[in-house]
């Protein structure tokens, strides 16, 4: 996806102002809308080197049959991502540093 620029070690930012981080559990990026505006918004501490988003990040998607297939539920605090136990990937229950944005984006 074009239009995403690196703004820190572990974050990218979309042309629309969305903030992106790479999730090693899902092996894909997640994006959040921050600041003023319509729709769901997350709090963001403004630190692109050690971001904190509030309240939590919940990403889910369905398979081709329309059934809930995957869940990624986490807290991102001070540049670390804490995966909750209800995640459907192998990092459930673990806390890790957010990976390097540019490296992860380039390899995705």
């Amino acid at each position: 996806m074009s239009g995403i620029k690196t703004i820190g070690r572990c974050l990218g930012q979309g042309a629309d102002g969305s903030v992106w981080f790479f999730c090693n559990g899902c092996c894909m990026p997640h994006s959040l809308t921050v600041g003023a505006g319509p729709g769901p918004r997350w709090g963001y501490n403004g630190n692109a080197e050690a971001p904190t988003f509030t309240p939590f990040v919940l990403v889910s998607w369905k398979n081709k049959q329309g059934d809930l297939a995957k869940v990624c539920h986490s807290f991102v605090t001070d540049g670390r991502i804490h995966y909750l136990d209800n995640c459907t990937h192998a990092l459930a229950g673990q806390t890790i540093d957010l990976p390097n944005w540019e490296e992860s984006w380039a390899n995705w």
Side-chain angles (χ1 to χ4, degrees):
M1 173 182 291
S2 62
I4 298 181
K5 65 179 180 178
T6 300
I7 60 169
R9 179 197 66 79
C10 55
L11 291 182
Q13 185 172 40
D16 62 356
S18 58
V19 179
W20 294 62
F21 65 90
F22 200 86
C23 173
N24 280 345
C26 296
C27 299
M28 61 188 279
H30 296 326
S31 68
L32 303 173
T33 49
V34 298
R41 298 287 165 157
W42 279 259
Y44 169 45
N45 69 348
N47 185 341
E49 300 299 319
T52 295
F53 299 105
T54 54
F56 56 83
V57 179
L58 176 61
V59 178
S60 62
W61 59 97
K62 297 181 179 188
N63 60 22
K64 291 180 183 177
Q65 294 76 32
D67 300 319
L68 187 62
K70 301 285 182 179
V71 173
C72 183
H73 195 186
S74 64
F75 286 96
V76 177
T77 307
D78 296 327
R80 295 178 54 81
I81 184 166
H82 172 72
Y83 295 105
L84 300 178
D85 290 334
N86 65 331
C87 291
T88 55
H89 53 64
L91 294 179
Q94 297 182 46
T95 301
I96 64 169
D97 290 337
L98 284 171
N100 178 280
W101 171 256
E102 287 188 353
E103 180 181 324
S104 299
W105 183 254
N107 292 323
W108 181 53

